[in-house]
Amino acid sequence: MTVPGFMRPELSSYDRTASKPWRDLMIEVSGLRKYFGNVKAVDGLSFGVKEGEIFGFLGPNGAGKTTTISMLSGLLRPDAGTITIAGMDMSGGGGKARSMMGIVPQEIALYEELSGRENLHFWGSLYGLSGARLREETDRVLGMVELSDRADDPVGKYSGGMKRRINLCAGLIHRPKIILLDEPTLGIDPQARIRILDIVRKEAESGTTIIYTTHYLEEAESLCDRIAIIDQGRIHAEGTLAELVKLAGGEDVVTITGDFKADTFPKLPEGARIDRIADGTARLVVRDHGAVGSMLSGFFSSGLRVETVAISEPNLQGVFLKLTGKELRD
């Protein structure tokens, strides 16, 4: 899966946590469960998020990301498990803890007949802002997302990217200590996406704790200090990008298309194996670059008609495939 406007970071930049002065845990979750009928939406999640950290949940639609965010924010009550926010137990309602949070939902939470400014005044007032303070904070976040010049236009006339930016503003207007972002860049253009991610980084640099859910691999790779791979309500692995990439075993993935049959595909050299194959398409896993060259030479000498060859180095897609048995886009 490729997100326009992103470049894959170099391996040397993977461990961004090394230079961060971590302080106390701001979020602690243990044994979190949520059922909808017989469906386990969240199945025993346990994790912690440090102050100033960007903690990512990477998983497909239906993995349990939104349900987890809803329980952290107090919108849903867990069926089991505990949530502690800044040392406060959320089981009793967590009113004070909720006041520390900014929530940016996956769905656009704006009134389209109101202007961007009016929407922000509404949401700011719900967080307890009023008068000059409300106006100042509204102007601040509008400038942050570069929409001051469109602030008085009805939201219904905004593009999708503009709505997403105002949606983000609604969660930031009261300067929260913790921000819960649920797929905040879903379905928007590359420019708006890059702007939103820049804002998220700056919020974390100022000490704000962030939970960020996404199904975009490149977002998780470029943004998050630590990542939890989630699928079917369970965390399959958690760690820095460097730690997770090691789980892929250092293997390259080679995808070949051409005019060939699955049952007559050439024998692979040592160090290579078939992951999946069909007539005209083969996905192979190779331990090192030398084996790739040897394998391709064997294909050409055998007369195999190859149309395209794509080589992918170990990344989160490989980790996700190894842990869940499927690609993230499935």
Side-chain angles (χ1 to χ4, degrees), residues 2 20 42 63 151 156 166 173 178 215 218 224 259 269 283 294 303 323:
T2 301
K20 282 203 172 185
V42 171
I166 294 291
I173 192 168
I178 298 170
H215 64 270
E218 290 85 350
C224 299
D259 184 14
R283 178 187 170 98
S294 173
L323 293 174

Side-chain angles (χ1 to χ4, degrees), residues 91-308:
S91 63
K96 186 175 179 181
R98 286 203 303 272
S99 70
M100 300 172 60
M101 296 185 204
I103 304 164
V104 182
Q106 186 177 137
E107 299 298 325
I108 301 293
L110 303 173
Y111 294 99
E112 298 219 339
E113 68 275 14
L114 300 181
S115 69
R117 188 184 307 278
E118 289 168 336
N119 269 281
L120 293 177
H121 282 176
F122 169 75
W123 287 108
S125 67
L126 294 183
Y127 285 116
L129 303 179
S130 62
R133 171 79 188 284
L134 176 58
R135 293 191 295 273
E136 289 169 5
E137 296 297 347
T138 298
D139 289 340
R140 176 183 66 86
V141 292
L142 284 169
M144 182 187 300
V145 299
E146 300 178 346
L147 283 176
S148 298
D149 60 334
R150 297 292 304 275
D152 296 312
D153 294 345
V155 164
K157 294 184 177 181
Y158 287 3
S159 67
M162 292 167 66
K163 290 177 182 178
R164 283 284 174 193
R165 283 185 277 168
I166 294 291
N167 207 47
L168 176 64
C169 287
L172 302 182
I173 192 168
H174 60 304
R175 298 179 185 262
K177 297 294 185 184
I178 298 170
I179 304 173
L180 308 178
L181 294 152
D182 191 12
E183 302 267 9
T185 65
L186 188 64
I188 63 174
D189 62 272
Q191 262 191 327
R193 185 188 304 276
I194 291 170
R195 184 60 184 153
I196 286 175
L197 296 188
D198 283 344
I199 291 169
V200 173
R201 290 188 187 95
K202 288 176 182 177
E203 288 292 322
E205 288 169 3
S206 71
T208 306
T209 303
I210 296 170
I211 290 185
Y212 190 100
T213 79
T214 184
H215 64 270
Y216 295 133
L217 290 160
E218 290 85 350
E219 284 192 356
E221 288 180 341
S222 68
L223 183 69
C224 299
D225 297 307
R226 285 189 302 130
I227 303 161
I229 293 179
I230 183 171
D231 189 39
Q232 296 181 330
R234 293 183 292 115
I235 292 176
H236 293 261
E238 175 194 326
T240 66
L241 187 52
E243 291 167 346
L244 292 176
V245 165
K246 287 179 183 178
L247 295 177
E251 298 174 321
D252 292 337
V253 175
V254 180
T255 303
I256 297 175
T257 65
D259 184 14
F260 56 82
K261 298 292 184 182
D263 57 358
T264 59
F265 197 73
K267 183 179 178 181
L268 299 180
E270 185 177 352
R273 59 183 171 82
I274 295 173
D275 178 61
R276 65 176 69 169
I277 189 168
D279 290 352
T281 304
R283 178 187 170 98
L284 315 172
V285 177
V286 187
R287 280 204 295 267
D288 57 61
H289 293 295
V292 172
S294 173
M295 180 179 66
L296 293 177
S297 295
F299 290 162
F300 294 132
S301 63
S302 71
L304 181 72
R305 292 182 59 187
V306 175
E307 295 173 358
T308 65

Side-chain angles (χ1 to χ4, degrees), residues 33-34 70-71 74-80 90-93:
R33 298 181 188 275
K34 185 64 183 179
S70 297
M71 288 189 285
L75 295 175
L76 277 180
R77 185 178 295 275
D79 292 320
M90 290 288 286
S91 63

